Amino acid sequence: DAKTTQPPSMDCAEGRAANLPCNHSTISGNEYVYWYRQIHSQGPQYIIHGLKNNETNEMASLIITEDRKSSTLILPHATLRDTAVYYCIVRVSGRDDKIIFGKGTRLHILP
Amino acid sequence: GAVVSQHPSRVICKSGTSVKIECRSLDFQATTMFWYRQFPKQSLMLMATSNEGSKATYEQGVEKDKFLINHASLTLSTLTVTSAHPEDSSFYICSASWTGDQPQHFGDGTRLSIL
């Protein structure tokens, strides 16, 4: 079973920041938080990951709480192309470690 | 960045046909690849872990004789759906990781339709 809990859907106005929450209260000390998204009829796309510090890249920011039991993915200026299902995943950082997907959050960007 | 390529992107065939799907890591070597299946409006379900040079590890409930996986080289894994039936129609996706510190990257998927 997936180790994360996400809201099933969210709406966000185009141009505004989209904040997607994720709960992972049973995360282990060596597990990272990963975010992927899946645009319709495509394979999942990696967005960002982190262990305990906040992370930022060209796509998004990841804010992890101090107790590591939850995190928030921030898309700073959402566009229509950001409409997708977003998956929050916890796993050990290693190429042999499989990913178990939960149901994710379906993000709708509204024009 | 690391790229994972799948082929074909779409296949339509008659019931009883066996279908082979290829997953390639284009600019890196992958000792481990993963195969997923996704039904409409559902999340991705892990089917099996493909290990280069050894047998695949299947998830519970996935028939290994139905879904044959071969990982003969460090850049290629294949999934063969044997004697496919309409209930095997689905979106099949593979993934691989460049190195231990890098995230997994996914192919664009293969949409299989069995008539």
Side-chain angles (χ1 to χ4, degrees), chain A residues 32 34 36 38-49 85 87 89 91-104 106, chain B residues 29-32 34 36 38 41-46 49 51 59 91 93 95 97-109 111:
Chain A
Y32 287 68
Y34 284 79
Y36 285 81
Q38 186 178 25
I39 295 170
H40 183 63
S41 294
Q42 296 182 22
Q45 177 189 22
Y46 164 78
I47 301 174
I48 199 167
H49 75 286
V85 179
Y87 296 99
I89 294 154
R91 64 187 284 267
V92 175
S93 178
R95 62 183 169 184
D96 297 337
D97 193 42
K98 57 189 178 184
I99 293 177
I100 303 298
F101 284 85
K103 296 183 179 180
R106 186 171 296 276
Chain B
Q29 294 182 333
T31 57
T32 304
F34 301 90
Y36 297 82
Q38 185 175 33
K41 298 190 177 182
Q42 294 186 22
S43 187
L44 286 79
M45 283 178 34
L46 179 66
T49 302
N51 305 298
E59 295 299 302
F91 192 48
I93 308 167
S95 73
S97 181
W98 181 15
T99 68
D101 293 335
Q102 295 297 316
Q104 287 186 25
H105 291 272
F106 289 78
D108 278 337
R111 188 160 301 282

Side-chain angles (χ1 to χ4, degrees), chain A residues 11-18 77-80 108-111:
Chain A
D11 292 338
C12 179
E14 187 178 17
R16 304 297 294 268
H77 305 286
T79 70
L80 297 178
H108 299 275
I109 305 301
L110 307 175

Side-chain angles (χ1 to χ4, degrees), chain B residues 12-85:
Chain B
I12 303 171
C13 55
K14 296 180 179 179
S15 184
T17 306
S18 291
V19 179
K20 180 185 283 188
I21 302 170
E22 293 185 348
C23 178
R24 293 183 184 274
S25 55
L26 293 187
D27 52 2
F28 64 100
Q29 294 182 333
T31 57
T32 304
M33 293 183 175
F34 301 90
W35 286 97
Y36 297 82
R37 178 168 55 180
Q38 185 175 33
F39 292 107
K41 298 190 177 182
Q42 294 186 22
S43 187
L44 286 79
M45 283 178 34
L46 179 66
M47 299 177 66
T49 302
S50 173
N51 305 298
E52 188 269 335
S54 65
K55 292 182 179 180
T57 304
Y58 290 82
E59 295 299 302
Q60 190 173 11
V62 178
E63 301 175 59
K64 61 181 181 180
D65 295 330
K66 173 76 171 177
F67 300 99
L68 301 180
I69 291 173
N70 184 278
H71 194 155
S73 78
L74 287 170
T75 59
L76 174 64
S77 174
T78 61
L79 168 68
T80 301
V81 183
T82 62
S83 186
H85 293 285

